[in-house]
Amino acid sequence: MGPALGLPAEADAPPRQGRALIIAETASSHEGRLDLARQLTEAAAAAGADAIKFQVFVADELVTVDHLKYPAFKQLELDPAQWAQIVRWAEAAGLAFFADVFDTPSFRLMEDLGAAAYKIHSTNLTHDAFLAEVASAGKAILLAAGGGTDEDLAHALKVLESGGRRDIILLHGYQAYPTPVEDTQLRRMARLRERFRRPVGLSDHVDAESPLAVTLPAIAVGMGAVAIEKHLTMDRELRGRDYYSALNPSEFARMVELIRLVERALGAEGEEVPASERQYQMAVEKHIVAREAVPPGTPIRLEMLALKRTPSRGLSAAFLGVVTGRRARRALERDQPILLEDLEDDERS
């Protein structure tokens, strides 16, 4: 799955360049309803996402029965047949199906259903047995870095690498319902990339009503993010699960459009001068012309020359030393570009 996601094969490989992976994060926006899960899947595909991700858990494996959110988690559970249907819908829509797995039963179910990649939530950064089991699947992994210390991340990466995983993206960002803009800390992506020699992405959770909600992911791509995970909801006004940072379908589509525009603006890495830029330079380059009329046989002095833009190609300023001191082979008019064939042989050589 690594190459399909454009991830480096080795731990010390440079960050991926080019097209960012855009993941529509549904989290719990499906409300435990199969029909809503289908709407979200179709909306993600129509908006231009590359993948759709669902959180998959067993409530009794995630929280204790006396936990405040136990009833909500229990309500959100879907059965294996429902998950199988959602996976089929994603595949039919042309989306890669990603699973944010929180426990072993959920991971094994997703393996049976053929999930394309897994996200490991920061809640499991130090759960060695779970990390090792997910690594054994041989799928690409999104490792949540939100809230994790360098020690936690180094530990998790070591376990995953021991299980043979190299195709890992560190996902910066956390959900604070919503996350304040000042806590987004996009510059941390560069530090994570340098510290762990892994490609880094952004799991964005700013307030969906903020002007930055649509543009922040594009900014992150400009800063080197190779993956963007963004919440999607069918209608934020309904204030359903995880609505705080979720974009409506039209907003999500606008975000995708901005990201793709930023990628075009970034251009290709390693290209010294693009052809279009070189063409511009050739159009505005100044050429050597006669500042005044020059009779045949006249030795050309520097003061008899000028550098100007011309409608036709000529000699650049780099040839001033070659032209100066040579005799004109033929009469030269004012503003006429001077070419090598307009000069007599150089007697100086």
Side-chain angles (χ1 to χ4, degrees):
M1 190 59 199
L5 295 184
L7 302 181
E10 301 298 333
D12 60 352
R16 187 188 73 161
Q17 300 293 324
R19 188 179 174 88
L21 179 70
I22 301 179
I23 307 162
E25 164 68 290
T26 67
S28 299
S29 294
H30 57 79
E31 306 282 353
R33 291 167 41 196
L34 194 58
D35 63 322
L36 194 48
R38 181 171 189 169
Q39 291 177 40
L40 287 164
T41 301
E42 293 173 347
D50 300 302
I52 189 165
K53 185 172 73 64
F54 287 85
Q55 291 183 349
V56 189
F57 53 78
V58 175
D60 288 302
E61 295 285 340
L62 182 60
V63 294
T64 58
V65 293
D66 58 348
H67 191 281
L68 180 64
K69 292 188 176 181
Y70 179 82
F73 284 129
K74 197 68 178 173
Q75 178 189 347
L76 292 168
E77 283 185 352
L78 296 170
D79 62 40
Q82 290 173 314
W83 280 122
Q85 182 63 69
I86 294 172
V87 172
R88 287 195 293 270
W89 284 332
E91 292 174 346
L95 296 171
F97 181 88
F98 290 4
D100 192 349
V101 287
F102 288 78
D103 53 73
T104 295
S106 297
F107 162 69
R108 291 177 178 173
L109 171 62
M110 291 297 106
E111 267 298 274
D112 289 342
L113 296 179
Y118 294 106
K119 180 181 177 181
I120 297 177
H121 195 278
S122 54
T123 194
N124 282 316
L125 287 178
T126 58
H127 190 172
D128 290 15
F130 183 72
L131 292 168
E133 186 164 24
V134 176
S136 70
K139 306 285 181 63
I141 292 174
L142 307 167
L143 183 63
T149 65
D150 279 5
E151 183 179 4
D152 292 337
L153 294 172
H155 176 87
L157 286 169
K158 182 178 180 180
V159 176
L160 294 172
E161 290 167 4
S162 296
R165 295 276 40 83
R166 292 292 184 272
D167 41 1
I168 303 170
I169 293 177
L170 290 174
L171 272 187
H172 166 61
Y174 74 102
Q175 173 67 292
Y177 308 103
T179 301
V181 170
E182 58 270 21
D183 286 345
T184 300
Q185 296 293 311
L186 291 184
R187 289 193 176 97
R188 188 183 181 223
M189 293 190 303
R191 196 185 70 78
L192 289 172
R193 184 168 53 242
E194 293 166 7
R195 167 70 175 79
F196 297 106
R197 297 300 300 160
R198 289 287 175 190
V200 176
L202 175 67
S203 182
D204 179 34
H205 296 97
V206 297
D207 189 337
E209 298 295 334
S210 166
L212 278 176
V214 172
T215 58
L216 194 67
I219 294 171
V221 169
M223 296 176 67
V226 303
I228 296 295
E229 178 188 279
K230 187 75 172 183
H231 280 259
L232 174 67
T233 184
M234 294 307 299
D235 186 353
R236 192 167 54 253
E237 291 300 316
L238 297 179
R239 301 173 71 86
R241 307 277 182 188
D242 297 317
Y243 78 92
Y244 313 92
S245 55
L247 298 180
N248 292 327
S250 61
E251 296 167 332
F252 198 99
R254 177 59 177 160
M255 179 200 72
V256 173
E257 180 184 14
L258 288 175
I259 289 173
R260 299 309 181 209
L261 283 172
V262 166
E263 289 169 340
R264 288 171 58 189
L266 290 172
E269 185 183 22
E271 189 173 3
E272 182 179 357
V273 181
S276 56
E277 187 174 342
R278 184 59 190 149
Q279 186 175 9
Y280 165 80
Q281 174 59 20
M282 292 172 65
V284 300
E285 186 177 38
K286 290 182 176 180
H287 304 134
I288 301 173
V289 300
R291 185 180 293 277
E292 57 192 45
V294 179
T298 303
I300 298 176
R301 302 185 306 277
L302 184 61
E303 58 267 26
M304 299 166 64
L305 304 175
L307 289 167
K308 299 182 182 182
R309 294 181 185 178
T310 61
S312 58
R313 296 296 298 157
L315 299 176
S316 70
F319 285 83
L320 280 171
V322 176
V323 175
T324 304
R326 302 271 289 274
R327 293 179 181 274
R329 185 186 298 273
R330 58 182 64 90
L332 302 173
E333 301 296 328
R334 181 178 181 271
D335 276 348
Q336 178 180 335
I338 299 178
L339 306 177
L340 291 178
E341 54 263 35
D342 296 325
L343 307 173
E344 294 182 357
D345 294 338
D346 191 354
E347 299 174 357
R348 295 170 297 181
S349 60

